[in-house]
Amino acid sequence: MILSPSMMCADFSNLDAEVSMLEHAGVDMFHMDIMDGEFVPNFGMGLQDYEFIAKKAKRPVDVHMMVNNPGRYIELFANLGASLIYIHPEADRHPAKTIDQIHQLNKKAGIAIDPDTSVETVKELLPLVDAVLIMTVNPGFAGQKFLDFVFPKIKQVAQLKDHRAFLLGVDGAISPEKIEELSLLGVDNFVLGTSALFGKQSSYEKIIKSLRELESN
Ligand code: DX5
Ligand code: ZN
């Protein structure tokens, strides 16, 4: 089970401590949402935020590029320290080319797919990527509700995963209950935002510990 805090949900008035506390709590990868205000009507994190976290973190950082024509920025995020670069195929005229560009830079490549994007439209990309991130909310904002209609797609991709080694993640409104349910399906990577981790009473350490116990159930 990979637990990836969605850093756009972090307390930016205390970012240094947030990163330290999350690493102390044992998170696996920092999930970093970058938005262009076009592909999604929001802006997520800024480059300075990205750079600060990527520099401070000992754990790997990804980048979830909710931007049109993401090929333009692959090198930028590779240089900023992204270990795993997710593009949205919906936002790229030539996703296979961009995936190759990411691999040329010795980074892991992932596709993040919108709730209304079918597996059929991306299945040719599955053999090319190291990770698939299934959006369980419409991308752009934290704090939304889980979209139940995505559930059959998660099952479908999890079955495809068996004979292709890619990391399967979900992103959006992921609660402890969803983690329990989806880990049984074969989901490996959980992006944790306001539904499971941020803005809660308990410490990150307590929450992460309790989420990990869900896996053994
Ligand atoms: C939304 C982002 C998610 C979001 C998750 O576009 O990709 O990472 O911040 O936050 P919650 O769990 O609150 O939906
Ligand atoms: Zn995200």
Side-chain angles (χ1 to χ4, degrees), residues 36 48 59 153:
D36 64 1
Q48 292 85 342
R59 309 298 304 156
K153 177 166 63 173

PDB file of all heavy atoms in Angstrom, residues 36 48 59 153:
ATOM      1  N   ASP A  36      -3.266  24.337 -14.775  1.00  0.00           N
ATOM      2  CA  ASP A  36      -2.972  25.497 -15.646  1.00  0.00           C
ATOM      3  C   ASP A  36      -4.154  26.455 -15.776  1.00  0.00           C
ATOM      4  O   ASP A  36      -4.121  27.400 -16.557  1.00  0.00           O
ATOM      5  CB  ASP A  36      -2.521  25.012 -17.041  1.00  0.00           C
ATOM      6  CG  ASP A  36      -3.642  24.237 -17.774  1.00  0.00           C
ATOM      7  OD1 ASP A  36      -4.758  24.093 -17.228  1.00  0.00           O
ATOM      8  OD2 ASP A  36      -3.363  23.784 -18.907  1.00  0.00           O
ATOM      9  N   GLN A  48       7.228  27.417  -6.882  1.00  0.00           N
ATOM     10  CA  GLN A  48       8.053  27.596  -5.669  1.00  0.00           C
ATOM     11  C   GLN A  48       7.658  26.570  -4.608  1.00  0.00           C
ATOM     12  O   GLN A  48       8.506  26.028  -3.904  1.00  0.00           O
ATOM     13  CB  GLN A  48       7.868  29.004  -5.077  1.00  0.00           C
ATOM     14  CG  GLN A  48       8.417  30.116  -5.941  1.00  0.00           C
ATOM     15  CD  GLN A  48       7.426  30.565  -7.015  1.00  0.00           C
ATOM     16  OE1 GLN A  48       6.461  29.837  -7.330  1.00  0.00           O
ATOM     17  NE2 GLN A  48       7.680  31.704  -7.606  1.00  0.00           N
ATOM     18  N   ARG A  59      11.449  11.532   0.830  1.00  0.00           N
ATOM     19  CA  ARG A  59      10.631  10.580   0.061  1.00  0.00           C
ATOM     20  C   ARG A  59      10.440  11.118  -1.364  1.00  0.00           C
ATOM     21  O   ARG A  59      10.577  12.330  -1.573  1.00  0.00           O
ATOM     22  CB  ARG A  59       9.245  10.415   0.718  1.00  0.00           C
ATOM     23  CG  ARG A  59       9.248  10.097   2.191  1.00  0.00           C
ATOM     24  CD  ARG A  59       9.933   8.786   2.505  1.00  0.00           C
ATOM     25  NE  ARG A  59       9.326   7.667   1.767  1.00  0.00           N
ATOM     26  CZ  ARG A  59       9.963   6.534   1.473  1.00  0.00           C
ATOM     27  NH1 ARG A  59      11.207   6.387   1.844  1.00  0.00           N
ATOM     28  NH2 ARG A  59       9.379   5.570   0.808  1.00  0.00           N
ATOM     29  N   LYS A 153     -14.648   1.046 -13.579  1.00  0.00           N
ATOM     30  CA  LYS A 153     -13.403   1.291 -14.335  1.00  0.00           C
ATOM     31  C   LYS A 153     -12.200   0.886 -13.486  1.00  0.00           C
ATOM     32  O   LYS A 153     -11.242   0.297 -13.982  1.00  0.00           O
ATOM     33  CB  LYS A 153     -13.313   2.758 -14.740  1.00  0.00           C
ATOM     34  CG  LYS A 153     -12.028   3.123 -15.458  1.00  0.00           C
ATOM     35  CD  LYS A 153     -12.091   4.467 -16.144  1.00  0.00           C
ATOM     36  CE  LYS A 153     -12.291   5.597 -15.200  1.00  0.00           C
ATOM     37  NZ  LYS A 153     -12.196   6.916 -15.865  1.00  0.00           N
TER      38      LYS A 153
END
